[in-house]
Amino acid sequence: MSADHVSLVDVNNFYVSCERAFDYSLRNRPVVVLSNNDGCVVARSQEAKDLGIATGEPFFKIQRLMDSHNLAVRSSNYELYGDMSARVMELLGRYGTWHEVYSIDESFIGLEGNLEQARSTAAQIRKAIDKTIGVPLCVGVSTTKTLAKLANHIAKHNPGLGGVCVQQLMDQQVLDNILSRVPVTDVWGVGRKSGAKLASMGIETIADLRDADPLVIRKKFSVVMQRTVFELNGQRCIGPVEERADRGQVMFTRSFSTPVRTREAMEEVMSIYAQKAASRLASEGRYASLLTVTAGTSRFAQGESSFPSAQVRLPRPTRDPILLSKLAIAAMADLMHPGMDYVRGGVILSGLSDSPGEKQLDLFDLGDDHDEEEQKNVSSVVQDISARFGAKSIGLGPAGMAQSPSWTMKREHISQRYTTEWDELLEVRA
């Protein structure tokens, strides 16, 4: 990472902003987005926050506000949010000397030029994203990643800055005043437990942590917290964001809207989830060498519980939906207990590579080469159609049914997948 300016770009209320980009009726009104199975609140508009709605609030507790306060409710539209994130990140990459995607709605970007030029570029980024994608964001600019995150925080909470905060251009007295009032738990990387321990040492604000002795902090905590102190003082210590662990695997896990109790229903789950995971592998151009299947009953249910899990080492790296579906079904077949209420399941593909390997010799493989070639051809057709027309355009067995099984995740307030499904595009009428 070069010695240019570090900026943190963060889309405001990302899930809500994605919904508002296509539905203008949601603007200037309270909006919440719900978790899997419409269980609880995972995202809120500012208007919803002003109503006192908290993240994690169960939906049934706020349902009354839909009538009394015109509260809009949306189920999590992962297809829309994922595509909108990809569009934002692609556009952001055009502006920086380097670009690191940190999360679905955050990126670190290196900006060139003097401080005024950096502020100008940050303003251009906001304008370009708003014009071409339609979501609002804030940009924080400073000398380190920790300070850039802090500058972004300041930009979000001070509308007069126009969504851009260049920390070095701020009046030092004003900055010190802010740092002395913001809790230390608002610092990137400081959680509740660390915050409580810091508070016991008299370190309650960001200013306190900035002025703390780095050696004492390292002794009491770790080198990671010491780096945070250095970063708060303008010393760049945090390099490129390490590759996420989930980049080494593809997961398709969901909670069920109704419990799965039979082997037949669980076979449907494993078949569909394995094909979904295979589709993701194909879209990324990768192959898996290890298949993991999981399922589970509710951790809060009384009586006997069951959390079956199994791993299957594949003969060679593959993304073949037929093979993965068969193996997932077989792996779970003898593990589940019919009659028990399974509320979640998943298929995880790991040991990823960019190319398929050579098949290992199986001394007990008595299969017909013709059948294997036929399966290969069918798999290729499924992958090609899925890649061209979307994951729901074709499937094997239950995954090819137009009507979803009764156990699929409940999303009663789902919006359209405006950017990924042809039949759900917005219609413009003269």
Side-chain angles (χ1 to χ4, degrees):
M1 191 165 59
S2 60
D4 45 16
H5 307 288
V6 180
S7 69
L8 188 278
V9 181
D10 183 13
V11 180
N12 304 339
N13 304 319
F14 180 63
Y15 286 3
V16 171
S17 294
C18 289
E19 299 286 352
R20 284 177 165 174
F22 297 94
D23 187 349
Y24 276 40
S25 71
L26 299 180
R27 301 197 173 192
N28 301 315
R29 63 182 288 201
V31 182
V32 296
V33 176
L34 304 176
S35 63
N36 290 350
N37 287 317
D38 295 343
C40 59
V41 175
V42 294
R44 309 161 292 161
S45 67
Q46 185 58 52
E47 295 84 357
K49 296 176 185 177
D50 293 340
L51 288 178
I53 299 175
T55 298
E57 190 100 36
F59 175 45
F60 72 86
K61 287 188 176 182
I62 64 170
Q63 198 165 4
R64 56 184 173 78
L65 299 177
M66 295 176 69
D67 293 328
S68 62
H69 287 77
N70 196 29
L71 174 67
V73 175
R74 293 291 182 269
S75 302
S76 291
N77 190 336
Y78 301 116
E79 298 87 349
L80 174 64
Y81 308 152
D83 185 67
M84 291 288 280
S85 173
R87 293 167 185 254
V88 170
M89 299 310 169
E90 191 281 327
L91 187 54
L92 289 179
R94 305 178 189 180
Y95 287 87
T97 55
W98 51 268
H99 178 206
E100 296 175 13
V101 177
Y102 181 66
S103 68
I104 192 172
D105 58 351
E106 290 181 277
S107 275
F108 288 107
I109 299 178
L111 300 181
E112 288 185 311
N114 58 37
L115 294 175
E116 286 296 342
Q117 290 171 329
R119 178 158 60 181
S120 175
T121 302
Q124 291 175 34
I125 289 173
R126 292 190 76 246
K127 185 177 180 180
I129 296 293
D130 181 62
K131 180 179 179 181
T132 61
I133 301 175
V135 294
L137 55 81
C138 288
V139 185
V141 182
S142 191
T143 54
T144 71
K145 287 184 174 180
T146 302
L147 287 174
K149 290 272 282 188
L150 176 61
N152 188 281
H153 178 87
I154 294 173
K156 284 183 182 294
H157 292 82
N158 293 272
L161 293 175
V164 175
C165 174
V166 179
Q167 179 245 314
Q168 300 98 310
L169 292 178
M170 293 183 65
D171 181 271
Q172 188 60 46
Q173 188 173 353
V174 172
L175 179 62
D176 289 340
N177 183 46
I178 293 175
L179 298 185
S180 65
R181 290 186 291 110
V182 179
V184 69
T185 49
D186 282 358
V187 173
W188 183 33
V190 178
R192 290 183 179 180
K193 289 185 178 180
S194 297
K197 188 174 180 180
L198 286 167
S200 69
M201 299 168 58
I203 301 174
E204 299 181 345
T205 68
I206 295 178
D208 294 335
L209 183 59
R210 177 196 61 188
D211 299 335
D213 186 334
L215 294 179
V216 172
I217 293 298
R218 177 169 181 169
K219 183 177 180 180
K220 295 286 186 179
F221 294 87
S222 66
V223 67
V224 175
M225 188 69 74
Q226 182 187 43
R227 288 172 182 164
T228 298
V229 175
F230 286 143
E231 289 247 326
L232 286 174
N233 283 278
Q235 183 177 338
R236 195 175 295 187
C237 298
I238 301 176
V241 178
E242 293 182 1
E243 194 75 10
R244 292 289 191 280
D246 58 9
R247 289 296 298 166
Q249 62 185 17
V250 168
M251 302 176 62
F252 198 93
T253 61
R254 294 288 188 275
S255 297
F256 310 139
S257 60
T258 57
V260 168
R261 299 186 178 92
T262 67
R263 292 188 190 279
E264 292 74 19
M266 187 60 78
E267 287 182 1
E268 287 186 354
V269 172
M270 292 296 112
S271 176
I272 292 175
Y273 286 12
Q275 292 177 62
K276 295 286 188 183
S279 178
R280 290 184 180 179
L281 272 185
S283 68
E284 297 177 7
R286 298 194 290 174
Y287 302 80
S289 58
L290 184 67
L291 166 74
T292 303
V293 295
T294 65
T297 54
S298 174
R299 297 184 182 276
F300 305 103
Q302 297 181 349
E304 189 178 358
S305 60
S306 175
F307 302 96
S309 176
Q311 288 188 334
V312 179
R313 178 67 60 179
L314 304 174
R316 61 179 173 182
T318 184
R319 60 188 184 205
D320 182 342
I322 297 179
L323 176 60
L324 294 172
S325 180
K326 287 180 177 180
L327 292 175
I329 291 172
M332 183 58 69
D334 296 328
L335 298 178
M336 72 163 290
H337 302 293
M340 299 194 71
D341 290 344
Y342 291 93
V343 298
R344 68 181 65 85
V347 170
I348 304 170
L349 301 176
S350 54
L352 305 187
S353 60
D354 295 330
S355 61
E358 294 298 325
K359 183 177 180 181
Q360 298 176 1
L361 178 63
D362 188 347
L363 299 177
F364 302 97
D365 183 5
L366 302 178
D368 191 323
D369 291 341
H370 174 73
D371 292 339
E372 181 178 339
E373 187 63 29
E374 182 177 332
Q375 174 177 313
K376 181 178 179 181
N377 292 335
V378 173
S379 299
S380 178
V381 170
V382 171
Q383 292 178 38
D384 290 345
I385 294 177
S386 178
R388 184 175 180 182
F389 299 105
K392 287 194 173 184
S393 59
I394 190 171
L396 306 168
M401 296 179 179
Q403 184 173 357
S404 299
S406 60
W407 48 261
T408 51
M409 185 171 61
K410 180 173 70 175
R411 294 196 287 181
E412 294 182 349
H413 305 277
I414 190 73
S415 56
Q416 295 174 217
R417 293 161 295 176
Y418 301 101
T419 63
T420 59
E421 294 292 327
W422 283 107
D423 57 353
E424 296 183 23
L425 294 177
L426 282 176
E427 295 183 4
V428 179
R429 299 175 182 175

